[in-house]
């Protein structure tokens, strides 16, 4: 008997597999000599099947020298793999394979601007990056597949693991048994017979591609193809799926893919690789991986399909510039799950998604979205579900809230994508771009929410007379971020029915407000529509109208002229705050004994509010100055 894990359980853990691999390399280039050239093109020519993860063949790096002169050319390749020979521009050369690098020594130095082709013949069984596994024993087939993010590409092919150096184009040739199919990036340019039992699949993509987005998947696939028809594209987008079989169990929600391509093309700009394809290769993952134009996917579930598809814009076409800025990829792909729910399911489903995202994010009350440099070798941290995905999505939602104009929000995203297309961006790049585009200064927002830690808790005290008066106090979950200055919405529910929601600036730990609503209010809610990642503290209703006397406390004379005296008969300390009629605090302090006074002679005539705080609670007095 087999127990099939439910899709929803898997979705909750989706992409957690990304963190299962061991750490090999740092965020920085593993050898400074890798900066001596720019990568133009990768060409892999590998033999493999689905019975093991043994591979053999060659990888070519075409590059252009970017320094005055080099006498050694370096590529990364795991020491675990056996190098058979190294060729530079079709000549066999001396090489050294150590420290997970191949150092090729040309006969004469290469000068700046010269192009080279460095080909490494190798074989072996990768200990990461390329796997041979089965999703469900005895049910789904063995698949050989790759998973290089964040820095495991060198474990299966010679490459330069530099996020900012995309290859202009990529060719992946896979020679395998002719009862198998092999999927990869771009278009299947050629399929040719090698011998009676062997076939070669030749894939090519003419789009700039980051090293970790190059992939292959090999298995006894069936092909299930469809087309998307995004508005504004005269042609259609080919959707090529390599699936376990054509049963409804395998295919799941795969037919949602076309509608999602159409939705995201409308919102984010045309699908970037429409001239090639989009597709999926099924593989034994508990989630998916957004390999460019050919996502590797464990199962077809709409939100998972949407997440990986959104990465084609946010991650592939436009890639994070450092792993510290993984938000550029995962924050926006995760927020695309919300957008999918909002556009294709319902606002209620989207609201539930955001509530769930917030509860994940609150599991890390001291965490930042930006990955600290000290943790950037920790793949668990880079792919933190709480911080990079869920809090990351919450940040995009708050940016949308601050822009407060969906047309502008989506237009900004489209322009942002085009500005950084085929290249990389950091959180800092996004901040500057968004500030310039919208005219909103996002500096404080990024300091508090991206580089800063945690989230705020808002508490509210309110009362009403002719106006509604309320005071908001803010605490935060991390002492490193003592204040969040995002404006907050308050919703006033009327006794007679109906409500009004108003957005107020909130940039002090304790801040007082008044608003004239002309109706009796029955309750006040903080951030009712859940725009802000926050906790709700206490909400205290202090009453209406009659502020004349608290027990055993006398505030007199009222009306007053030069001073008001406060008399009380206990010995505990009492703090006071005096507000003008707009609830701006004009003075505060601690009463000096049980018969103190507050000078009023310098203030204008009018209405004032005096609040007294003691351990017993808080009380507000309406004061008239004549
Ligand atoms: Zn993702």
């Amino acid at each position: 008997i087999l127990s099939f894990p439910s899709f929803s359980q898997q979705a909750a853990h989706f992409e957690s597999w990304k963190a299962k691999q061991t750490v090999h390399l740092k965020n920085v280039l593993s050898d400074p000599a890798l900066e001596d050239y720019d990568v133009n093109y990768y060409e892999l020519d590998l033999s493999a099947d689905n019975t093991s993860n043994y591979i053999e063949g060659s990888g070519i790096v075409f590059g252009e020298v970017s320094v005055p002169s080099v006498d050694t050319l370096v590529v990364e390749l795991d020491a675990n793999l056996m190098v058979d020979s190294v060729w530079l521009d079709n000549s066999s050369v001396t090489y050294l394979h150590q420290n997970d690098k191949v150092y090729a020594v040309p006969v004469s130095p290469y000068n700046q601007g010269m192009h080279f082709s460095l080909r490494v013949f190798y074989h072996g069984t990768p200990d990461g990056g390329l796997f041979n596994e089965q999703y469900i024993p005895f049910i789904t087939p063995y698949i050989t597949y790759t998973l290089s993010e964040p820095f495991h590409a060198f474990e299966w092919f010679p490459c330069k693991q530099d996020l900012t150096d995309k290859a202009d184009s990529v060719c992946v040739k896979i020679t395998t048994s002719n009862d198998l199919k092999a999927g990869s990036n771009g278009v299947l340019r050629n399929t040719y017979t090698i011998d009676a039992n062997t076939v070669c699949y030749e894939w090519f993509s003419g789009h700039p591609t980051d090293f970790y987005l190059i992939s292959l998947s090999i298995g006894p696939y069936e092909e299930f193809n469809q087309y998307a028809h995004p508005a504004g594209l005269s042609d259609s987008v080919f959707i090529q799926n390599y699936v376990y079989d054509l049963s409804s169990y395998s295919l799941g929600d795969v037919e949602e893919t076309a509608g999602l391509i159409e939705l995201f093309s409308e919102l984010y700009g045309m699908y970037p690789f429409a001239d090639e394809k989009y597709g999926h290769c099924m593989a034994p993952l508990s989630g998916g991986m957004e390999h460019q134009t050919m996502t590797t996917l464990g199962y077809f579930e709409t939100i998972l399909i949407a997440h990986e598809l959104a990465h084609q814009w946010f991650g592939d076409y436009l890639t994070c510039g450092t792993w510290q800025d993984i938000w550029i990829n995962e924050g926006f792909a995760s927020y695309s799950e919300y957008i999918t729910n909002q556009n294709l399911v319902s606002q209620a489903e989207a609201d539930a998604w955001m509530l769930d995202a917030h509860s994940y994010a609150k599991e890390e009350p001291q965490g930042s979205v930006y990955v600290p440099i000290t943790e950037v070798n920790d793949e668990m941290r880079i792919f933190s579900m709480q911080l990079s995905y869920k809090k990351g999505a919450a940040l995009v939602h708050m940016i949308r809230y601050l822009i407060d104009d969906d047309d502008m929000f989506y237009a900004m995203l489209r322009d942002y994508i085009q500005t950084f297309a085929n290249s990389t961006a950091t959180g800092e790049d996004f901040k500057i771009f968004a500030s310039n585009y919208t005219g909103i200064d996002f500096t404080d927002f990024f300091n508090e929410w991206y580089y800063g830690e945690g989230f705020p808790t808002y508490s509210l005290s309110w009362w009403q007379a002719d106006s509604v008066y309320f005071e908001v106090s803010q605490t935060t979950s991390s002492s490193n971020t003592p204040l969040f200055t995002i404006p907050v919405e308050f919703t006033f529910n009327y006794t007679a029915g109906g409500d009004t929601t108003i957005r107020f600036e909130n940039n002090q730990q304790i801040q007082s407000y008044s608003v004239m609503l002309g109706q009796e209010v029955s309750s006040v809610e903080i951030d009712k529509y859940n725009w802000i990642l926050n906790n709700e503290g206490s909400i205290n209703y202090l009453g209406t109208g009659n502020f004349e006397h608290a027990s055993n406390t006398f505030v007199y004379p009222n009306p007053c002229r030069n001073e008001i005296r406060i008399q009380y008969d206990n010995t505990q300390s009492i703090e006071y705050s005096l507000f003008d009629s707009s609830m701006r605090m004009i003075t505060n302090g601690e009463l000096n004994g049980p018969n103190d006074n507050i000078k009023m002679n310098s203030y204008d005539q009018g209405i004032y509010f005096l609040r007294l705080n003691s351990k017993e609670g808080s009380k507000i007095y309406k004061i008239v100055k004549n």
Side-chain angles (χ1 to χ4, degrees):
I1 296 172
L2 285 171
S3 164
F4 288 76
S6 81
F7 281 159
S8 61
Q9 279 177 333
Q10 292 174 17
H13 295 98
F14 97 72
E15 292 202 340
S16 61
W17 52 269
K18 276 187 178 171
K20 78 182 182 186
Q21 303 191 54
T22 53
V23 175
H24 285 265
L25 277 185
K26 298 185 187 304
N27 194 37
V28 295
L29 291 180
S30 61
D31 189 314
L34 288 163
E35 289 186 61
D36 290 349
Y37 62 89
D38 296 323
V39 176
N40 300 138
Y41 172 62
Y42 287 112
E43 183 175 305
L44 310 186
D45 189 350
L46 297 172
S47 294
D49 62 26
N50 74 330
T51 62
S52 76
N53 60 333
Y54 175 82
I55 53 173
E56 62 180 28
S58 69
I60 307 177
V61 180
F62 283 81
E64 178 181 341
V65 174
S66 55
V67 294
S69 179
V70 289
D71 52 17
T72 307
L73 286 161
V74 186
V75 290
E76 299 178 56
L77 186 68
D78 198 333
N80 172 55
L81 297 168
M82 291 300 301
V83 172
D84 301 312
S85 64
V86 176
W87 298 67
L88 247 177
D89 294 325
N90 302 316
S91 297
S92 176
V93 294
T94 307
Y95 68 92
L96 195 61
H97 186 201
Q98 65 177 29
N99 299 330
D100 298 327
K101 251 85 62 187
V102 173
Y103 298 86
V105 183
V107 177
S108 57
Y110 279 70
N111 296 326
Q112 189 156 21
M114 288 176 71
H115 290 83
F116 65 87
S117 150
L118 176 62
R119 184 171 197 177
V120 179
F121 285 87
Y122 64 103
H123 68 273
T125 300
D127 60 7
L130 186 145
F131 306 90
N132 177 256
E133 289 170 349
Q134 183 179 31
Y135 193 35
I136 302 169
F138 308 109
I139 299 288
T140 59
Y142 274 93
I143 303 290
T144 293
Y145 68 98
T146 61
L147 182 54
S148 303
E149 194 185 23
F151 21 65
H152 297 277
F154 83 105
E155 292 170 39
W156 66 279
F157 73 92
C159 59
K160 172 182 171 182
Q161 298 195 128
D162 178 351
L163 285 167
T164 62
D165 190 4
K166 293 187 179 188
D168 303 327
S169 56
V170 175
C171 179
V172 178
K173 300 177 189 174
I174 306 142
T175 299
T176 192
S177 170
N178 64 5
D179 57 351
L180 304 176
K181 285 187 194 301
S184 184
N185 312 95
V187 294
L188 182 57
R189 189 160 64 176
N190 213 339
T191 307
Y192 41 91
T193 301
I194 304 293
D195 60 37
N197 303 314
T198 315
V199 65
C200 179
Y201 291 87
E202 180 181 318
W203 294 85
F204 175 81
S205 175
H207 289 275
T209 305
D210 228 315
F211 66 89
Y212 73 93
L213 296 169
I214 297 168
S215 71
L216 59 78
S217 294
I218 305 166
Y221 289 122
E222 305 254 22
E223 199 165 337
F224 181 82
N225 297 332
Q226 294 201 297
Y227 292 88
H229 302 278
L233 188 71
S234 54
D235 205 350
S236 52
V237 177
F238 181 42
I239 306 170
Q240 187 171 24
N241 301 296
Y242 281 8
V243 299
Y244 294 149
D245 58 55
L246 300 176
S247 69
S248 60
Y249 178 78
S250 279
L251 295 180
D253 297 338
V254 66
E255 295 194 40
E256 301 294 323
T257 310
L260 288 163
I261 290 174
E262 290 156 12
L263 174 68
F264 291 163
S265 291
E266 181 192 332
L267 298 177
Y268 303 153
M270 184 55 61
Y271 172 64
F273 314 112
D275 60 325
E276 294 186 346
K277 73 162 192 311
Y278 185 60
H280 301 95
C281 283
M282 294 191 84
L285 302 177
S286 61
M289 174 62 212
E290 65 272 18
H291 295 125
Q292 193 162 308
T293 72
M294 189 63 124
T295 284
T296 306
L297 200 74
Y299 53 92
F300 290 104
E301 187 272 330
T302 301
I303 293 299
L304 177 58
I305 296 169
H307 179 104
E308 306 305 338
L309 175 64
H311 271 310
Q312 302 299 313
W313 287 261
F314 299 108
D316 294 6
Y317 193 37
L318 182 177
T319 308
C320 60
T322 77
W323 295 117
Q324 292 184 267
D325 293 287
I326 189 66
W327 176 70
I328 292 292
N329 295 13
E330 298 301 350
F332 290 83
S334 298
Y335 190 60
S336 297
E337 300 172 30
Y338 174 92
I339 287 174
T340 298
N341 281 320
Q342 187 174 43
N343 285 275
L344 300 184
V345 187
S346 66
Q347 185 60 46
E349 190 71 18
D351 290 344
W353 189 96
M354 189 54 69
L355 207 58
D356 182 62
H358 283 177
S359 61
Y360 266 105
K362 289 175 195 173
E363 291 175 7
E364 294 283 0
Q366 264 92 49
S368 62
V369 173
Y370 184 60
V371 179
I373 188 73
T374 50
E375 296 181 60
V376 77
N377 295 329
D378 178 356
E379 293 183 48
M380 296 287 282
R381 175 61 187 85
I382 295 173
F383 298 107
S384 162
M385 180 62 72
Q386 290 84 356
L387 297 173
S388 299
Y389 291 72
K390 302 301 187 180
K391 190 177 178 187
L395 261 61
V396 182
H397 197 50
M398 287 187 277
I399 289 165
R400 182 176 179 178
Y401 165 77
L402 289 170
I403 293 173
D404 200 20
D405 175 343
D406 276 358
D407 289 342
M408 182 186 274
F409 171 72
Y410 285 116
M412 178 197 71
L413 289 184
R414 288 191 291 273
D415 202 351
Y416 160 67
I417 289 165
Q418 284 310 314
T419 300
F420 293 93
N422 297 318
S423 183
T424 60
T426 61
E428 193 69 13
D429 289 328
F430 181 88
K431 178 188 84 177
I432 292 165
F433 181 88
S435 296
N436 289 338
Y437 191 93
T438 62
I440 298 166
D441 185 350
F442 283 100
T443 306
D444 289 344
F445 179 85
F446 271 74
N447 286 341
E448 294 156 15
W449 290 101
Y450 187 66
Y451 302 110
E453 297 172 355
F455 50 86
T457 295
Y458 300 112
S459 292
L460 177 75
S461 294
W462 68 284
W463 69 99
Q464 58 190 326
D466 46 344
S467 296
V468 172
Y469 301 92
F470 58 109
E471 183 184 272
V472 178
S473 62
Q474 180 187 141
T475 57
T476 63
S477 63
S478 167
S479 58
N480 289 332
T481 308
L483 184 69
F484 289 86
T485 57
I486 190 167
V488 183
E489 282 185 353
F490 296 91
T491 298
F492 304 92
N493 298 307
Y494 298 124
T495 308
D499 61 70
T500 299
T501 297
I502 304 173
R503 196 177 290 194
F504 291 87
E505 291 299 317
N506 185 258
N507 47 26
Q508 299 167 23
Q509 264 142 353
I510 297 176
Q511 200 159 0
S512 298
Y513 309 84
S514 69
V515 58
M516 184 87 80
L517 294 165
Q519 288 197 56
E520 188 184 71
V521 169
S522 59
S523 62
V524 183
E525 294 172 81
I526 305 167
D527 188 35
K528 177 180 180 177
Y529 299 101
N530 203 31
W531 283 106
I532 301 172
L533 172 63
N534 74 96
N535 269 342
E536 187 173 292
S538 58
I539 296 186
N540 298 314
Y541 180 47
L542 301 175
T544 57
N546 179 13
F547 300 115
E548 297 304 320
H549 295 286
S551 59
N552 302 321
T553 302
F554 298 96
V555 175
Y556 65 95
N558 191 7
C560 65
R561 191 173 296 273
N562 293 321
E563 64 178 31
I564 46 175
R565 302 199 70 81
I566 300 109
Q567 184 183 325
Y568 55 103
D569 65 1
N570 57 27
T571 55
Q572 63 177 299
S573 66
I574 292 187
E575 292 172 349
Y576 69 89
S577 303
L578 186 68
F579 303 91
D580 67 13
S581 60
S582 306
M583 283 312 295
R584 281 188 294 269
M585 190 168 68
I586 50 180
T587 183
N588 65 341
E590 190 170 325
L591 291 178
N592 186 23
N595 195 9
D596 201 3
N597 65 70
I598 298 170
K599 298 289 180 221
M600 296 293 289
N601 47 347
S602 62
Y603 303 135
D604 294 340
Q605 292 182 0
I607 305 286
Y608 293 84
F609 293 93
L610 174 68
R611 188 190 59 202
L612 301 181
N613 281 330
S614 73
K615 272 188 258 175
E616 290 172 356
S618 181
K619 188 75 183 173
I620 292 97
Y621 300 83
K622 185 177 181 180
I623 308 287
V624 177
K625 162 139 194 225
N626 287 332

